[in-house]
Amino acid sequence: MENPEDTSPAPGTEIESLAEFDAAAAAGSLAGHRVQSVDLTDRSAALLAADTSGAVFLGCRMESGAAEKVRADGAVVFPPVPGLPFDPYRGLLYSPDALYDGLRKSGYEATPDARAYRWFQRTRSNGDAFASMLRALHDDAVSDALDELLAGARVVGVMGGHATPRGSAPYASAARLGRTLARSGLTVATGGGPGAMEAANLGAYAAPHPDPMLDNACELLGTTPSFTPSVTDWALAAFAVRERWPDGGGSVSIPTWFYGHEPPNPFAGHIAKYFANALREDGLLARSTAGVIFLPGAAGTVQEIFDSTTPNYYESRGEPSPMVLVGRDHWTRELPAWPLLRALAAGRPMESRIALVDTVEEAPEALARLSEQ
């Protein structure tokens, strides 16, 4: 039952670009609309003419006269915040080009990604309520954009260690896995960092290209195996691959500035980067609706296994989703997560949704088999 004291208008369409704004303004009314981070300094005439009652403008630049008018209409205006290396109101996810803007000219330290990390390091523990609010606004906007992007998609998460070097056999295997999953119609999602995560995003990028492209790309990337000692060289090698083989396939990565010393890989078409790692971890696993494949990794991957296990155990997100662990020796002897996972699953619906395989090549078939259970 509606609260009779709530007189606020129902929210209208979200507007995230000038084209969407122009279409709504041409219809004569912006009432109740939510306009996110659109530069409206050249749209004063449209703002003055349109009904903007109940609208919300989040970080939209506009002329002072237009701002006064929309406020008089009853609109709520959240002004841009000057001096920030990120947009807390953003309506869309990041692209690799956006996060790495300025890389070629001035190196990684001058990019928006590096500047946002430095801002986070300065503000994360100083108790500034304003900085905390800005981080929360940003992360909520990223979650909203990610939900919009993935609506209706069959998403498979690929988890694995950040230390897997380019040029190694495990890196090439993870890349082939990403390509196989993408070619089967799944949307590949990773934690967005280097190592196995980058490899899976690279594989999805390679999906539309002939098979030899991926081998050639892995060979080129192998000349810069790690983001240490130079993130600039590591990122430039990835962009060189993208330029040599343009028009790659899409995928999603979900990294975090909490681990900002690990740069985001440039092979995902859409990057949902968070300040709060807890939101990032839960969001990545919750959105992996077609299941998760866990490649060999260390503490972070172990955490992801059991972050995925808990909702499957309690069925808090509905029917359990498939979990495939890759590397029998790794997950039974080196880091014996599999025996505990199997013990937890015994006698529960999730028991038929877990599998342990020896090799990466077996993972797609195992995922498909579990999905049919």
Side-chain angles (χ1 to χ4, degrees):
M1 181 176 178
E2 293 185 4
N3 183 348
E5 296 181 0
D6 185 0
T7 59
S8 60
T13 303
E14 290 186 4
I15 294 176
E16 298 161 347
S17 68
L18 269 178
E20 292 174 349
F21 175 85
D22 289 341
S29 177
L30 295 166
H33 286 37
R34 277 57 174 139
V35 190
Q36 285 182 257
S37 193
V38 180
D39 189 344
L40 301 175
T41 51
D42 293 331
R43 296 298 190 273
S44 292
L47 289 167
L48 293 171
D51 177 10
T52 58
S53 58
V56 179
F57 294 86
L58 300 164
C60 298
R61 290 179 173 81
M62 61 182 80
E63 298 289 347
S64 58
E68 291 175 6
K69 182 267 181 186
V70 301
R71 286 193 179 97
D73 277 354
V76 178
V77 178
F78 291 81
V81 181
L84 285 180
F86 63 94
D87 179 2
Y89 306 111
R90 63 180 307 108
L92 303 172
L93 298 181
Y94 293 99
S95 68
D97 288 336
L99 285 177
Y100 282 104
D101 185 40
L103 177 72
R104 288 181 176 83
K105 181 179 180 180
S106 304
Y108 174 69
E109 291 305 315
T111 64
D113 185 66
R115 290 166 53 218
Y117 178 47
R118 290 196 297 272
W119 179 90
F120 180 48
Q121 286 181 304
R122 289 195 307 270
T123 63
R124 62 189 293 184
S125 58
N126 66 4
D128 182 0
F130 184 53
S132 297
M133 182 192 74
L134 292 173
R135 293 195 297 269
L137 284 171
H138 170 274
D139 286 359
D140 187 70
V142 167
S143 291
D144 182 61
L146 187 59
D147 285 338
E148 291 174 359
L149 174 73
L150 296 180
R154 296 173 61 233
V155 181
V156 58
V158 179
M159 312 298 160
H162 70 275
T164 304
R166 293 170 171 175
S168 67
Y171 184 97
S173 293
R176 289 192 292 272
L177 171 64
R179 182 177 64 185
T180 299
L181 295 171
R183 285 179 173 176
S184 72
L186 296 169
T187 297
V188 173
T190 78
M197 296 173 282
E198 179 188 58
N201 287 128
L202 167 64
Y205 183 87
H209 292 279
D211 285 357
M213 173 265 172
L214 185 56
D215 293 333
N216 294 334
C218 287
E219 182 178 355
L220 289 174
L221 291 169
T223 61
T224 314
S226 174
F227 62 92
T228 59
S230 173
V231 176
T232 299
D233 292 344
W234 177 85
L236 285 173
F239 279 104
V241 168
R242 289 173 57 98
E243 289 166 3
R244 180 166 177 179
W245 291 284
D247 304 319
S251 66
V252 176
S253 71
I254 308 179
T256 173
W257 279 294
F258 185 82
Y259 298 130
H261 61 287
E262 297 179 9
N265 78 73
F267 289 110
H270 302 278
I271 303 175
K273 191 153 191 178
Y274 286 85
F275 288 107
N277 186 51
L279 287 175
R280 170 253 191 170
E281 290 277 5
D282 184 69
L284 173 55
L285 295 168
R287 291 174 175 86
S288 296
T289 53
V292 185
I293 295 173
F294 299 92
L295 302 176
T301 310
V302 172
Q303 177 183 336
E304 289 161 346
I305 289 173
F306 291 104
D307 281 347
S308 186
T309 297
T310 300
N312 279 347
Y313 181 90
Y314 290 110
E315 299 182 66
S316 56
R317 294 179 186 143
E319 184 177 303
S321 59
M323 299 173 63
V324 179
L325 276 62
V326 177
R328 190 174 301 276
D329 188 65
H330 184 85
W331 294 120
T332 60
R333 296 171 61 87
E334 294 181 38
L335 295 173
W338 173 252
L340 179 54
L341 175 60
R342 187 172 57 180
L344 284 168
R348 305 186 73 88
M350 69 174 289
E351 187 173 19
S352 64
R353 294 297 184 94
I354 63 172
L356 174 67
V357 297
D358 286 313
T359 66
V360 173
E361 288 71 25
E362 297 172 88
E365 189 278 330
L367 182 72
R369 183 179 71 252
L370 296 181
S371 299
E372 295 171 356
Q373 298 296 321

